[in-house]
């Protein structure tokens, strides 16, 4: 059986409770080695930086790196690749701090199957999680993420027109593109894709996205593609039209009750079709990376 992977992640100024829930989730899956880097944009105050780093230490994890400054499009992949180098040979689990993977089998079995396929990767698909009424609200750690954001849909795909695919596991020999969306020449063979529960749409995300849009537009945060700005504007326009909420009653978005505990009965057919047919929007050569933002 294959050895369990190292977890690789670049973490922004998230709430300590989210970091705790995220680490707990992956430890439950058997992860023991965490290679984390923190990046703090200039607007994040010293108290917030201290809180999240203190939470990390309380979890028994020493970050590999801490940086600050503008959140350029190249910031995450550069830090991530440094972490992958430090993690060494073997398999790497790639997850933003708002992404909770739900695997169909124990990790060692999933990796063994991937090794047999020869692809060097395992693919996932983002299932965006929101509150019951679509409000961008905070959550009670006692209640948990799953119960606080009980609805799921392909929001990234249908509304943002971003790339909802994720490389969730990659061998150390396989380079992975920005945002962990793809690995050139190493298309995952697993079907259906792994469920990536995406808990981005929490309280304060609208301010984060508005900041990202502003900095991307004025060039303060550098980007090689117009996708990041376009995705941010689509979200901001949507929540403005719907009174500060995500329209959970929209037939196009098709939100449904979901849970970390079970794979939806519709997942295999719908998710497999989406990863097989997804293409970048016309005029967009690279997948967008708005998804990996300071709230992640």
């Amino acid at each position: 059986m294959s050895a369990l992977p190292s977890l690789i992640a670049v973490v922004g100024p998230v709430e300590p409770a989210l970091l705790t829930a995220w680490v707990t989730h992956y430890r439950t899956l058997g992860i023991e080695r965490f290679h984390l880097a923190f990046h703090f944009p200039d607007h994040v105050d010293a108290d917030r930086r201290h809180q999240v780093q203190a939470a990390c230490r309380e979890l028994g994890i020493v970050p590999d790196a801490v940086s600050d400054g503008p959140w350029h499009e190249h910031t995450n992949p550069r830090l991530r690749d440094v972490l992958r180098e430090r993690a060494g040979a073997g398999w790497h689990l790639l997850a933003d701090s708002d992404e909770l993977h739900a695997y169909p089998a124990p990790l060692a079995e999933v990796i063994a199957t991937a090794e047999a396929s020869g692809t060097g990767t395992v693919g996932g698909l983002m299932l965006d999680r929101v509150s019951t009424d679509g409000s961008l609200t905070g959550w009670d750690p006692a209640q948990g993420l799953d119960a606080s954001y009980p609805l799921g849909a392909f929001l990234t795909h249908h509304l943002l027109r971003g790339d909802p695919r994720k490389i969730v596991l990659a061998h150390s020999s396989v380079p992975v593109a920005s945002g962990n969306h793809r690995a050139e020449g190493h298309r995952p063979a697993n079907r259906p894709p792994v469920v990536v529960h995406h808990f981005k749409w929490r309280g304060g995300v609208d301010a984060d996205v508005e900041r990202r849009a502003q900095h991307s537009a004025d060039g303060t945060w550098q980007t090689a593609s117009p996708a990041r700005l376009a995705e941010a504007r689509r979200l901001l326009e949507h929540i403005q039209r719907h009174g500060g909420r995500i329209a959970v009653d929209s037939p196009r978005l098709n939100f449904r009750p979901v849970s970390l505990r079970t794979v939806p009965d519709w997942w295999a057919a719908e998710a497999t079709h989406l990863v097989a047919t997804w293409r970048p929007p016309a005029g967009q050569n690279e997948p967008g990376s708005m998804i990996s933002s300071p709230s992640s």
Side-chain angles (χ1 to χ4, degrees):
M1 298 296 286
S2 302
L4 290 176
S6 298
L7 191 152
I8 309 294
V10 180
V11 181
V14 299
E15 61 271 36
L18 179 67
L19 185 66
T20 299
W22 179 80
V23 168
T24 300
H25 174 80
Y26 286 104
R27 281 180 169 160
T28 301
L29 295 183
I31 297 296
E32 297 177 351
R33 300 182 302 277
F34 290 79
H35 289 273
L36 308 184
F38 285 99
H39 182 76
F40 300 113
D42 295 335
H43 68 274
V44 180
D45 63 38
D47 284 345
R48 185 63 178 269
R49 299 181 190 211
H50 172 76
Q51 288 170 7
V52 68
Q53 290 181 85
C56 189
R57 291 192 297 272
E58 288 172 6
L59 291 163
I61 300 171
V62 178
D64 291 61
V66 178
S67 67
D68 55 23
W71 206 298
H72 301 307
E73 189 172 358
H74 57 68
T75 299
N76 272 39
R78 287 182 179 177
L79 287 169
R80 179 206 62 197
D81 290 347
V82 169
L83 297 175
R84 296 192 69 193
E85 182 69 23
R86 292 183 180 179
W91 283 80
H92 300 159
L93 189 153
L94 309 175
D96 290 344
S97 57
D98 57 11
E99 295 174 352
L100 273 58
H101 301 172
Y103 289 91
L107 278 171
E109 293 182 22
V110 172
I111 290 173
T113 301
E115 288 179 340
S117 76
T119 63
T121 58
V122 174
L125 187 69
M126 285 193 288
L127 179 62
D128 294 284
R129 302 288 299 268
V130 303
S131 63
T132 303
D133 64 357
S135 58
L136 303 175
T137 183
W139 59 288
D140 179 1
Q143 184 180 23
L145 288 165
D146 207 30
S148 299
Y149 306 101
L151 301 180
F154 299 125
L155 177 74
T156 297
H157 170 61
H158 289 301
L159 176 60
L160 306 184
R161 302 178 206 165
D163 190 344
R165 305 168 301 170
K166 284 283 186 168
I167 301 296
V168 295
L169 290 162
H171 191 267
S172 55
S173 61
V174 176
V176 177
S178 176
N180 303 333
H181 293 296
R182 59 196 176 90
E184 191 70 33
H186 297 270
R187 187 177 180 87
N190 61 297
R191 296 290 183 272
V194 170
V195 187
V196 178
H197 292 270
H198 189 213
F199 292 98
K200 182 180 182 68
W201 315 109
R202 312 182 312 281
V205 70
D206 48 346
D208 284 339
V209 173
E210 187 169 0
R211 185 181 300 110
R212 177 164 291 266
Q214 177 185 341
H215 290 321
S216 296
D218 66 20
T220 306
W221 292 3
Q222 299 169 6
T223 177
S225 165
R228 185 166 72 171
L229 176 58
E231 291 176 31
R233 284 175 171 168
R234 289 185 190 113
L235 177 75
L236 294 171
E237 290 168 1
H238 176 86
I239 61 176
Q240 184 177 23
R241 287 198 308 271
H242 296 281
R245 303 169 185 264
I246 292 170
V248 294
D249 57 350
S250 166
R252 179 169 70 98
L253 297 180
N254 195 21
F255 276 97
R256 288 164 276 188
V258 295
S259 171
L260 286 164
R261 296 185 297 276
T262 59
V263 176
D265 57 8
W266 47 264
W267 179 262
E270 293 186 29
T272 298
H273 175 74
L274 181 49
V275 296
T277 60
W278 190 89
R279 297 293 183 274
Q284 178 181 313
N285 294 325
E286 296 291 338
S289 58
M290 192 275 281
I291 304 307
S292 299
S293 69
S295 66
S296 296

